[in-house]
Amino acid sequence: MSVFAPATPFADFIYRHFRSVHALKLGLALLVAVTINAIWAPPHFIWSMVTIVVIMMSLPQVGGAIEKSLQRAIGTCLGSAYGVMLVATVDSYWLIMSLLILAVSLICFISAGRYSYAYLVSGFTIIIVVGDANHDTSEALWRTANILSGCVIAILVSLFIFPIKAKQDWRSQLTHAIDNMAEVLAQHLKAPANHDLDFRAKLEAAMKAVLTQKKLFFSLEWESKTLKKHKVLLSQLANKQVRLITLLELLPLTRWQEEDKDAYLQINAVASELAFYLQQLAEFVAGKAQQLPTLPECLEQELQHRLQLALASATSSTDLDAAATDGEVPQGFALTGYSWLIYQLAIAVEALYEDIAIIEIAYNKQPASQITSGKAD
């Protein structure tokens, strides 16, 4: 099923109440741990509960829980193996502590990137296992086993108990960003000359939605093979949204006099199509439309031609010569700059369509030859 397909009522309910669902899932995971402790009472079982809280507290999505659980499990195993080796083979207190400090310092040096959490877990696991260097290896092994059991519980609860999907959150954030951008563009194009509308709140909300999308990339890879294959495209899609937001930030800075409004209205009439296309795209991403809307062939070239016609009809050579004689900046210069900005917006909108079309086609498993820009033939 496509990531842009309409969400089921159950999935929609979970997403709309994900905070309550997440809290409930964390409580259920801890209940499972408490029940296991009540039945078997393994030593140091508190580490299982600590692991569950650390993994699930900040990551409600399934993909995020899996990613963090695996990193914690790997880091725990590596750190525990090194710690047990020190405790079992070295008798000198100072030598054990020297090797511990050396290992943790080395981990600190190489810790970076996507797997930094595994390095972090490995470092403090070594310290937990070694402790004061006065206990046997059985304690270290029990701690390791309890941490691993906590990872397993966290993964199983995240997967099978009211799963909260990162895909749903990513799509919602993408919809929110595009919808805000479409609204800003539409309001600007309908506004009077020298309007004082403030679009900062909407554009900041759109940028925040883009940043949230980036935080979900790792989780998306664990939840969807299709999105994992297109992880570079996800990053490009986020960057293209940032570019569009930047262009929209320039729009309120454009000003014209009341006597020049006719010229700008001609350009805005052409640009109003872009707001319409953005709104259509937002509806598709939100699952309100079954098919991705199509763009006219060579949208930016068509708009460029129409903008040039609007400029030609709005600006005469006589007006330009008169303005130059009076020492004023020719109005044609401002109109040309404004039309260039609209042209760049058209290119950015078309780029968004292209990336979303590629993702949609990939989910439909169509031949690679059909992965085009998503425009009408």
Side-chain angles (χ1 to χ4, degrees):
M1 181 183 294
S2 171
V3 69
F4 302 121
T8 64
F10 179 69
D12 186 62
F13 174 83
I14 289 178
Y15 182 73
R16 285 188 290 108
H17 303 88
F18 82 94
R19 292 185 182 276
S20 299
V21 172
H22 183 217
L24 175 63
K25 291 174 64 173
L26 178 59
L28 289 174
L30 291 174
L31 179 61
V32 172
V34 170
T35 302
I36 292 175
N37 186 40
I39 297 175
W40 288 289
H44 307 290
F45 198 75
I46 189 65
W47 284 105
S48 178
M49 301 178 67
V50 170
T51 299
I52 291 171
V53 172
V54 169
I55 291 174
M56 297 186 65
M57 181 71 79
S58 59
L59 292 171
Q61 297 88 2
V62 171
I66 295 175
E67 167 90 9
K68 196 165 186 178
S69 295
L70 291 177
Q71 288 203 38
R72 188 173 181 87
I74 293 172
T76 296
C77 290
L78 293 176
S80 178
Y82 184 80
V84 169
M85 181 196 70
L86 290 182
V87 174
T89 60
V90 180
D91 294 330
S92 170
Y93 171 82
W94 286 108
L95 180 56
I96 288 180
M97 290 303 171
S98 298
L99 293 174
L100 181 150
I101 294 172
L102 178 63
V104 174
S105 299
L106 179 61
I107 290 172
C108 177
F109 177 75
I110 64 177
S111 175
R114 175 172 182 173
Y115 303 104
S116 58
Y117 181 68
Y119 288 115
L120 170 65
V121 172
S122 179
F124 72 67
T125 299
I126 295 174
I127 297 175
I128 291 172
V129 169
V130 173
D132 57 3
N134 292 323
H135 53 75
D136 57 27
T137 58
S138 63
E139 184 176 346
L141 294 175
W142 272 116
R143 289 180 177 180
T144 302
N146 288 323
I147 291 175
L148 294 178
S149 68
C151 293
V152 172
I153 294 172
I155 291 177
L156 292 179
V157 172
S158 296
L159 276 173
F160 300 111
I161 306 295
F162 305 128
I164 302 173
K165 298 290 188 178
K167 293 187 294 184
Q168 183 84 356
D169 195 8
W170 174 78
R171 185 176 76 168
S172 177
Q173 297 298 332
L174 179 59
T175 302
H176 186 57
I178 297 176
D179 195 48
N180 273 279
M181 289 186 285
E183 190 172 345
V184 167
L185 180 56
Q187 289 182 3
H188 170 78
L189 296 177
K190 295 177 181 178
N194 291 323
H195 67 79
D196 57 354
L197 296 176
D198 189 356
F199 299 126
R200 286 178 296 179
K202 289 187 178 298
L203 292 176
E204 287 175 1
M207 183 63 74
K208 184 178 179 180
V210 175
L211 296 177
T212 303
Q213 293 172 43
K214 291 183 176 182
K215 294 178 182 179
L216 295 170
F217 286 170
F218 290 154
S219 298
L220 291 172
E221 291 182 28
W222 286 102
E223 291 185 11
S224 171
K225 293 181 180 179
T226 301
L227 292 179
K228 184 176 182 179
K229 293 178 182 178
H230 294 81
K231 57 183 179 181
V232 176
L233 185 63
L234 294 178
S235 179
Q236 293 175 352
L237 180 60
N239 293 335
K240 290 175 181 178
Q241 292 173 72
V242 172
R243 180 172 182 268
L244 185 52
I245 291 172
T246 302
L247 291 171
L248 290 172
E249 287 177 338
L250 297 176
L251 279 181
L253 302 179
T254 58
R255 292 289 185 270
W256 58 85
Q257 301 301 320
E258 187 65 26
E259 59 269 19
D260 304 318
K261 69 176 182 178
D262 292 339
Y264 283 92
L265 286 177
Q266 293 184 49
I267 297 177
N268 288 350
V270 177
S272 62
E273 297 180 14
L274 297 179
F276 173 73
Y277 294 141
L278 276 176
Q279 290 168 350
Q280 281 193 320
L281 186 60
E283 290 181 359
F284 170 75
V285 173
K288 297 178 181 179
Q290 294 184 351
Q291 293 184 344
L292 176 67
T294 56
L295 292 178
E297 182 72 18
C298 300
L299 170 66
E300 78 284 355
Q301 295 180 15
E302 179 183 338
L303 283 182
Q304 183 183 35
H305 176 67
R306 293 167 61 187
L307 289 170
Q308 288 175 344
L309 293 177
L311 285 174
S313 63
T315 306
S316 65
S317 58
T318 305
D319 294 336
L320 291 176
D321 293 339
T325 303
D326 295 337
E328 300 175 356
V329 177
Q331 179 62 24
F333 176 80
L335 284 171
T336 302
Y338 186 69
S339 65
W340 177 88
L341 180 58
I342 299 300
Y343 172 68
Q344 293 299 319
L345 283 170
I347 295 177
V349 170
E350 192 172 38
L352 284 184
Y353 265 81
E354 289 176 355
D355 288 351
I356 292 175
I358 292 175
I359 295 174
E360 174 67 6
I361 291 173
Y363 266 98
N364 293 333
K365 298 182 179 179
Q366 298 182 24
S369 60
Q370 296 185 24
I371 301 181
T372 61
S373 63
K375 304 174 204 174
D377 293 333

